Amino acid sequence: MSAGHAQRDHAQWSASASARLWACAGSLALSGRTGQADSESEAAAWGTACHEVSEDCLRHGRKPEEWIGRFIQTKRHRIEVDEEMAETAQVYVDYVMEAGVFGLKPTWIEERFKLDAINPPFEAGGTADTVIYHDGEQLLEVVDLKGGRGIVVEALGNKQARTYALGAVLNNPGLDIQEVKVTIVQPRAPHRDGPIRSETFHVTDLIDWTTELLAAMRLAKLADDTYGSNGSEDGSFDEWAERFLHPGDHCTFCPCAGSCPALAVAAKSKALLFFKDESGVEQENTVGKLTPAEVAEILDRADMIQNWLNAVRAHAHAEAEAGVEIPNYQLVAKVGRERWNDGAEADVIAACEWAELPLSEYQNAPKLRTPKQVRKALGPDLAKLVERHSTVPTAGTSLVRQDKTVRTPVQPKAHLLFDVIDD
Ligand code: SF4
């Protein structure tokens, strides 16, 4: 396997952040200075784990379901591989295997690339999930797995995928390439074109697009060089922020969403607009009277406010884990999926055979059914035969309001690692 997905360093202009860096030129400068470039949401960690499973299966011919029940440590989370992740990975693995004719076509898995050849103003590159060369068609295809279900990713005009395509073309100068195809595999988010969709374009279109990419990079470089001063001695941070920070949907994955002044201002002003119009007049709270255009505008505002709230939540959780007390909130263990203990399979099978349970009720060949399914099949009197063979693991913590939980508080990570010195 290549370097673990969670351990990888990202280039300054990382392909995976292309859309955001493009839409908000100041994002790169801000994330480089706020010290949150390594923040990781749980959803992002889930995607990282799903990529890890997929890569392993493509490289070693394994099935994603073999990973079910195992844990993958990402930068900040410990993610358990469950059926949903295995199914997501399987859709992607199946597509790559078929498109690459089961390894007969030249295929690169997790291909790292740099964009040095186009002379970017700073280090730029990334890692393409899969690149396939369809030699008979002079077609180079990049396949990008998306594990998310909240945001539907389009193949059309996808800046991230195009950056991968550019990297793949530059990495393979010896290939005869006339056309480029970018394919998005996103099994968890419903899309009118299905979980797999593609865009194909001529390689000259990619070269034209590179000019736009370089212009966006240069603007980000200007923002970085003039950070906080707007390039003039008397320029203020506010002026810089107004010029270079542009909140929008792309804030969702921004590592500095929790510290970005522009997002905070935009979110607060949009929140106020729920209740007062721009002239300060109280809005009537009658949803039924809203026009379709007003509904659309409010939903747009809600997305931005949600992005900011997510950043605040992630920050609060990280602070609590570091030992900071968040008033009225406590950490509780996040309960994982119950699983059979390592080495318990033979004992469970023996117990089920002794209870004369039909094979299909305790096995989903070749694997055991889940502990809950087997206990149910055994019935209340015999379930105790297998009770000691399973455990419910804890997988990290959640931060919850004290008055809304009956769960026992747990120690922050920082207290587990260091002795707390009492005054
Ligand atoms: S949170 Fe949004 S506006 Fe702020 S730097 Fe990030 S992408 Fe730009």
Side-chain angles (χ1 to χ4, degrees):
M1 195 179 296
S2 58
H5 287 252
Q7 282 76 42
R8 282 184 193 157
D9 289 330
H10 285 282
Q12 256 187 301
W13 183 290
S14 159
S16 59
S18 267
R20 169 173 53 84
L21 300 176
W22 195 307
C24 176
S27 163
L28 190 138
L30 195 63
S31 60
R33 288 168 173 87
T34 56
Q36 295 176 30
D38 268 348
S39 65
E40 181 193 51
S41 68
E42 194 170 349
W46 197 97
T48 300
C50 191
H51 276 79
E52 190 113 10
V53 172
S54 304
E55 181 187 352
D56 173 70
C57 294
L58 284 172
R59 287 193 190 282
H60 304 293
R62 281 193 266 269
K63 286 187 169 300
E65 66 179 23
E66 293 173 40
W67 275 79
I68 292 174
R70 290 170 63 183
F71 285 85
I72 293 174
Q73 181 65 50
T74 65
K75 277 184 182 138
R76 299 178 68 105
H77 299 273
R78 190 164 172 260
I79 302 290
E80 183 180 8
V81 179
D82 58 10
E83 277 95 352
E84 189 177 12
M85 187 182 292
E87 283 165 13
T88 302
Q90 188 68 61
V91 174
Y92 166 72
V93 169
D94 285 348
Y95 178 80
V96 169
M97 293 304 288
E98 280 178 34
V101 195
F102 301 92
L104 288 179
K105 289 187 176 180
T107 301
W108 296 266
I109 298 161
E110 298 294 325
E111 189 183 35
R112 303 193 83 167
F113 63 87
K114 289 188 173 183
L115 299 182
D116 295 357
I118 62 167
N119 198 21
F122 29 53
E123 193 200 347
T127 306
D129 290 345
T130 296
V131 178
I132 302 168
Y133 182 53
H134 301 273
D135 33 8
E137 303 161 64
Q138 298 165 302
L139 173 76
L140 192 73
E141 177 177 13
V142 295
V143 188
D144 193 25
L145 168 63
K146 295 292 179 197
R149 63 179 156 204
I151 295 176
V152 177
V153 180
E154 298 291 346
L156 209 64
N158 186 307
K159 293 183 172 67
Q160 178 181 353
R162 283 187 178 212
T163 311
Y164 291 141
L166 179 61
V169 169
L170 294 174
N171 258 12
N172 296 284
L175 296 181
D176 180 8
I177 302 166
Q178 291 298 312
E179 291 202 302
V180 175
K181 180 177 179 181
V182 298
T183 297
I184 303 294
V185 180
Q186 189 180 24
R188 297 167 81 209
H191 188 283
R192 62 186 174 281
D193 297 332
I196 301 169
R197 50 240 176 220
S198 302
E199 182 188 22
T200 304
F201 40 87
H202 198 270
V203 72
T204 53
D205 291 337
L206 186 65
I207 293 165
D208 288 347
W209 177 83
T210 303
T211 310
E212 296 171 38
L213 173 66
L214 277 168
M217 286 178 167
R218 287 191 197 107
L219 189 60
K221 175 77 169 120
L222 177 64
D224 197 37
D225 289 345
T226 61
Y227 178 74
S229 69
N230 205 21
S232 63
E233 283 186 6
D234 56 353
S236 69
F237 180 82
D238 288 350
E239 287 171 342
W240 180 89
E242 192 173 335
R243 181 175 178 194
F244 293 113
L245 297 180
H246 304 295
D249 291 348
H250 46 272
C251 297
T252 305
F253 301 114
C254 182
C256 44
S259 58
C260 173
L263 179 59
V265 168
K268 285 175 193 165
S269 67
K270 285 177 186 297
L272 280 178
L273 280 174
F274 276 117
F275 308 106
K276 292 181 180 177
D277 68 16
E278 308 219 19
S279 62
V281 175
E282 292 281 336
Q283 299 267 46
E284 192 182 351
N285 184 16
T286 315
V287 174
K289 289 186 180 174
L290 295 171
T291 66
E294 286 169 335
V295 167
E297 202 196 335
I298 288 172
L299 292 177
D300 283 351
R301 289 177 202 160
D303 285 346
M304 184 173 289
I305 294 165
Q306 190 61 54
N307 284 338
W308 185 63
L309 288 176
N310 288 345
V312 173
R313 267 187 221 290
H315 172 71
H317 185 238
E319 288 287 280
E321 280 286 25
V324 176
E325 203 169 306
I326 308 289
N328 303 322
Y329 281 79
Q330 69 181 44
L331 289 168
V332 295
K334 195 187 294 174
V335 177
R337 211 172 48 88
E338 186 182 13
R339 52 187 291 209
W340 295 114
N341 299 334
D342 288 343
E345 189 171 342
D347 288 337
V348 174
I349 291 173
C352 293
E353 285 176 348
W354 181 84
E356 297 182 353
L357 211 58
L359 187 71
S360 62
E361 292 200 22
Y362 64 89
Q363 267 198 347
N364 190 6
K367 294 176 54 186
L368 282 176
R369 289 191 177 277
T370 66
K372 195 173 168 192
Q373 288 170 327
V374 172
R375 282 198 303 272
K376 189 174 173 199
L378 285 167
D381 293 339
L382 296 179
K384 56 181 174 295
L385 289 173
V386 296
E387 268 168 7
R388 67 192 168 86
H389 294 307
S390 63
T391 33
V392 180
T394 54
T397 59
S398 303
L399 186 68
V400 297
R401 252 195 90 94
Q402 286 161 345
D403 58 1
K404 289 188 179 165
T405 186
V406 291
R407 288 188 277 171
T408 313
V410 296
Q411 291 285 305
K413 258 190 215 148
H415 289 188
L416 296 175
L417 294 174
F418 305 104
D419 288 337
V420 179
I421 301 169
D422 291 329
D423 290 332

